[in-house]
């Protein structure tokens, strides 16, 4: 059985999946497992080639996908109908925000199954922040306060080579629209209108949200286009703040003297949103091992395996019983993430969402290059977003009209 996944554990990914595979094979000793690891960008490109593979191409059986890919891959004829494989398969125990992203829209047929989820939060080093703020949590509660703190940190650590106030959560140093979503939502707007008929990417509120995020790179508060090493990381003392969907609790606690506190992401308005991102598992329609693939998916959904893997990955279990056990097992985790979950928001499971995210990420990739080359302007970003909005409107007219 071949499983395609993403590098969710970073440098530990292969090791973590080896452990996971070994545990599964103890219960299913006749099943051989091969795990292939791809970045999200590579997986996005490969996912469209598996419907009509060439003879020499590998055919995966199970594929890890972001929650909002389900509708697209179902429509493309890539995802197997899990409800037909097992009519008794249910989402009754799945956490409520994750359920809509498992169905073919407009039906109760399950095409992907929840595995785990994460949600955005802000982590900061208390020892660093006390040098520039008497009330870090209050100062970091708004984007204006975050930028002010970043500037103060930049000046305070100006003699520390390789220091940046903000660690980039992307290991490649990219700018990602997923990291900007909270700022966009806080501005009172979204990517698409609630009826999925029109793009909102051209609106002033959307542009302002994107600019909030881009400003972190523009002002040199966050490193971009450099792979993570000792540069700009909290653990090494080269950064003080991290906006991430991974908990980071275990990573921070393993380093003595590094006391990291976690708070909600900053807001530009009176309310804030946390981005909740679910990871699902789907079965390839071309799989020759659908029975084993379904067994693996159901095994991953079992409470003991949900809790075990969530702990390894520093993410959250996708089902109510395992989530409750997991979050109540740590008073710190419960206190930190209880309120954040209450305000969490997801991207919609519609056909065009994945493509919209790719379009916007390409714009941010160009912006990152322009910033590094010192030729970026907000006006050029405005033009790119206006053009993207027209492209998105066209896609919506084709697939959501």
């Amino acid at each position: 059985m071949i499983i395609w996944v993403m590098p969710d554990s970073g440098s530990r990914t292969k090791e973590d999946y080896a452990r996971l595979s070994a545990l599964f094979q103890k219960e299913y000793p006749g099943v051989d497992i091969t795990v292939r690891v791809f970045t999200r960008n590579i997986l996005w490109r490969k996912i469209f080639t598996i419907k009509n593979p060439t003879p020499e191409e590998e055919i995966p059986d199970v594929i890890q996908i972001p929650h909002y890919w389900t509708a697209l891959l179902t429509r493309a004829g890539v995802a197997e109908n899990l409800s037909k494989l097992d009519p008794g398969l249910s989402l009754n125990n799945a956490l409520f925000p994750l359920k809509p992203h498992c169905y073919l829209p407009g039906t109760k047929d399950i095409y992907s199954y929840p595995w785990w989820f994460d949600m955005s939060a802000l982590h900061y080093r208390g020892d660093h922040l006390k040098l520039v703020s008497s009330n870090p949590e209050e100062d970091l509660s708004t984007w204006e306060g975050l930028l002010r703190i970043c500037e103060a940190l930049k000046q305070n650590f100006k003699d520390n080579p390789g220091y940046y106030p903000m660690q980039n959560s992307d290991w490649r140093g990219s700018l990602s629209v997923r990291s900007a979503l909270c700022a966009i939502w806080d501005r009172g707007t979204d990517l698409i209108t609630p009826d999925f008929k029109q793009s909102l990417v051209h609106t002033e509120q959307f542009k302002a949200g994107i600019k909030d995020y881009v400003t972190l790179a523009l002002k040199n508060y966050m490193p971009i286009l450099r792979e993570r090493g000792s540069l700009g990381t909290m653990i090494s003392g080269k950064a003080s703040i991290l906006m991430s969907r991974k908990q980071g609790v275990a990573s921070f606690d393993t380093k003595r003297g590094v006391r990291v506190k976690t708070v909600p992401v900053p807001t530009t308005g009176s309310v804030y949103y946390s981005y909740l991102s679910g990871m699902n598992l789907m079965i390839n329609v071309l799989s020759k091992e659908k029975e084993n693939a379904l067994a693996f998916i159901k095994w991953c959904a079992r409470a003991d395996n949900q809790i075990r893997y969530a702990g390894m990955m520093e993410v959250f279990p996708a089902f109510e019983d395992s989530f409750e056990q997991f979050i109540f097992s740590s008073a710190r985790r419960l206190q930190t993430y209880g309120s954040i979950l209450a305000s969490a928001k997801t991207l919609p499971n519609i056909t065009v969402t994945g493509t919209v995210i790719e379009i916007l990420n390409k714009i941010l990739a160009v912006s990152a290059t322009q910033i590094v080359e010192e030729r970026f302007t907000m006006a050029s970003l405005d033009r790119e977003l206006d053009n993207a909005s027209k492209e998105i409107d066209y896609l919506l007219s084709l697939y959501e009209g």
Side-chain angles (χ1 to χ4, degrees):
M1 181 169 63
I2 298 172
I3 303 173
W4 283 5
V5 297
M6 287 178 264
D8 300 312
S9 304
S11 60
R12 302 192 326 271
T13 296
K14 290 186 178 180
E15 177 186 343
D16 285 350
Y17 279 114
R19 290 171 57 192
L20 191 71
S21 299
L23 289 168
F24 177 76
Q25 288 173 308
K26 279 186 178 180
E27 298 183 38
Y28 296 85
V31 182
D32 291 326
I33 294 180
T34 300
V35 177
R36 306 291 190 204
V37 182
F38 303 104
T39 65
R40 185 186 294 244
N41 289 340
I42 292 175
L43 186 60
W44 172 257
R45 294 195 295 270
K46 289 183 72 69
I47 208 82
F48 298 102
T49 68
I50 63 175
K51 186 176 182 180
N52 299 297
T54 60
E56 66 273 11
E57 285 182 313
E58 181 178 77
I59 297 177
D61 300 291
V62 178
I63 306 172
Q64 173 190 357
I65 62 170
H67 67 271
Y68 54 85
W69 288 11
T70 303
L72 172 62
L73 298 182
T74 301
R75 184 165 189 155
V78 172
E80 179 61 78
N81 187 337
L82 303 182
S83 295
K84 285 189 176 180
L85 289 182
D86 181 358
L89 195 66
S90 171
L91 291 170
N92 289 340
N93 192 35
L95 287 169
F96 178 76
L98 306 178
K99 292 181 182 181
H101 310 288
C102 303
Y103 299 112
L104 171 65
T107 76
K108 287 300 180 181
D109 286 337
I110 302 169
Y111 279 83
S112 69
Y113 212 59
W115 190 11
W116 53 264
F117 74 95
D118 51 28
M119 49 189 167
S120 52
L122 197 71
H123 311 281
Y124 71 91
R125 287 188 58 146
D127 57 339
H128 285 192
L129 268 290
K130 72 179 183 181
L131 301 174
V132 297
S133 173
S134 59
N135 193 339
E137 293 192 15
E138 180 178 338
D139 288 336
L140 294 174
S141 64
T142 66
W143 272 96
E144 181 182 358
L146 172 66
L147 296 177
R148 187 170 59 247
I149 288 293
C150 283
E151 181 60 33
L153 287 166
K154 184 179 177 181
Q155 294 303 316
N156 190 84
F157 289 95
K158 62 184 178 181
D159 296 326
N160 186 345
Y163 174 85
Y164 290 81
M166 177 82 73
Q167 176 177 325
N168 194 327
S169 61
D170 187 284
W171 66 273
R172 298 161 302 172
S174 300
L175 293 177
S176 168
V177 71
R178 292 184 300 277
S179 297
L181 283 171
C182 298
I184 292 167
W185 288 333
D186 288 345
R187 290 282 185 171
T189 191
D190 212 324
L191 282 73
I192 302 167
T193 55
D195 61 2
F196 306 135
K197 300 297 183 184
Q198 288 185 304
S199 165
L200 294 170
V201 170
H202 65 285
T203 63
E204 291 306 314
Q205 297 98 318
F206 185 94
K207 292 175 180 178
I210 283 283
K211 290 172 184 176
D212 285 335
Y213 171 63
V214 169
T215 296
L216 294 173
L218 192 60
K219 288 185 174 289
N220 216 28
Y221 296 154
M222 181 175 73
I224 55 174
L225 302 187
R226 304 190 199 181
E227 290 194 10
R228 186 184 306 162
S230 61
L231 177 70
T233 63
M234 294 175 69
I235 297 286
S236 67
K238 301 294 186 179
S240 307
I241 306 170
L242 169 64
M243 197 181 308
S244 173
R245 297 195 311 274
K246 294 295 183 71
Q247 295 178 59
V249 175
S251 299
F252 298 141
D253 285 351
T254 58
K255 302 292 182 178
R256 289 186 178 181
V258 179
R259 289 295 300 162
V260 174
K261 298 183 179 180
T262 302
V263 295
V265 293
T267 182
T268 55
S270 57
V271 297
Y272 85 95
Y273 292 98
S274 171
Y275 172 42
L276 189 153
S277 175
M279 280 294 175
N280 293 5
L281 295 172
M282 58 160 270
I283 296 176
N284 182 3
V285 293
L286 297 181
S287 170
K288 303 297 184 183
E289 298 199 40
K290 292 179 183 177
E291 184 177 338
N292 290 333
L294 183 63
F296 178 77
I297 287 177
K298 293 166 74 171
W299 182 85
C300 288
R302 209 170 67 194
D304 58 337
N305 294 320
Q306 284 272 298
I307 294 171
R308 179 186 293 113
Y309 194 67
M312 289 165 55
M313 293 286 301
E314 299 192 67
V315 294
F316 296 94
F319 295 87
E320 291 177 357
D321 53 354
S322 48
F323 176 76
E324 288 179 2
Q325 290 181 54
F326 185 74
I327 199 165
F328 280 106
S329 66
S330 166
R332 179 181 174 187
R333 186 181 288 120
L334 176 63
Q335 181 181 9
T336 299
Y337 284 95
S339 61
I340 293 176
L341 179 61
S343 65
K345 187 173 179 177
T346 62
L347 288 168
N349 175 34
I350 59 174
T351 306
V352 305
T353 302
T355 305
V356 170
I357 295 298
E358 289 302 307
I359 290 171
L360 294 174
N361 275 336
K362 286 179 181 177
I363 292 174
L364 288 178
V366 171
S367 295
T369 299
Q370 291 175 339
I371 290 171
V372 169
E373 295 176 353
E374 298 184 347
R375 55 187 180 87
F376 171 85
T377 66
M378 290 296 189
S380 66
L381 177 58
D382 284 342
R383 287 193 298 272
E384 292 299 323
L385 291 174
D386 287 339
N387 291 334
S389 195
K390 294 173 185 176
E391 185 177 356
I392 295 167
D393 277 339
Y394 177 67
L395 292 172
L396 290 169
S397 70
L398 290 178
Y399 299 108
E400 310 297 337

